[in-house]
Amino acid sequence: MLDNYFPVLMFIAIGLSIGVLPMVLGRLLAPNRPDPQKISPYECGFEPFEEARMRFDVRYYLIAILFILFDLEVAFLLPWASIVKELAGTESVRLFGFYEMFVFLGILVIGYVYVWRKGALDWE
């Protein structure tokens, strides 16, 4: 029974050793000479003036989510553009795929214009 699970156990042991061994060696072999300047908080060359756990403005998250949304939607264009000629054997199906992508882009542009008109991209 152990013969069946031995490769899995070896895989886990090697994976753990690859992850843990460099950290242990770094802790044991690296020089450890802390001084007040090294362990002081650093923020752009001067002492921090606010807490690190301050609240962020909601607009930051909104813009980040919108960027991810539109970035991923545009990422769908690259695979489609690389195979647009091989979409189908007949010309009518190929034209359908071509026009379908224009509908997709139209919906994407409508969403972008809506977000722009609502002022979600404005930073005050």
Side-chain angles (χ1 to χ4, degrees), residues 9-122:
L9 292 175
M10 286 301 297
F11 182 75
I12 291 172
I14 290 172
L16 284 174
S17 66
I18 286 173
V20 173
L21 191 63
M23 290 190 293
V24 171
L25 287 175
R27 175 73 69 176
L28 294 175
L29 300 176
N32 187 12
R33 294 184 293 266
D35 62 10
Q37 189 174 10
K38 280 185 180 179
I39 61 174
S40 67
Y42 177 76
E43 182 178 320
C44 301
F46 51 85
E47 293 293 321
F49 50 88
E50 290 184 10
E51 287 188 30
R53 292 183 178 94
M54 66 180 196
R55 291 183 176 221
F56 285 100
D57 194 1
V58 174
R59 290 176 290 184
Y60 171 77
Y61 294 111
L62 180 64
I63 289 177
I65 289 171
L66 289 173
F67 171 76
I68 290 171
L69 175 75
F70 287 113
D71 187 47
L72 287 177
E73 297 297 332
V74 170
F76 287 130
L77 293 175
L78 293 175
W80 173 82
S82 64
I83 63 162
V84 69
K85 288 186 179 179
E86 293 88 26
L87 277 176
T90 63
E91 186 68 27
S92 63
V93 175
R94 190 175 304 140
L95 284 175
F96 174 74
F98 185 72
Y99 292 129
E100 186 177 4
M101 185 52 73
F102 274 108
V103 169
F104 172 76
L105 286 175
I107 293 171
L108 191 64
V109 167
I110 289 170
Y112 183 73
V113 168
Y114 174 77
V115 167
W116 192 359
R117 293 256 184 188
K118 283 290 190 179
L121 300 176
D122 294 336

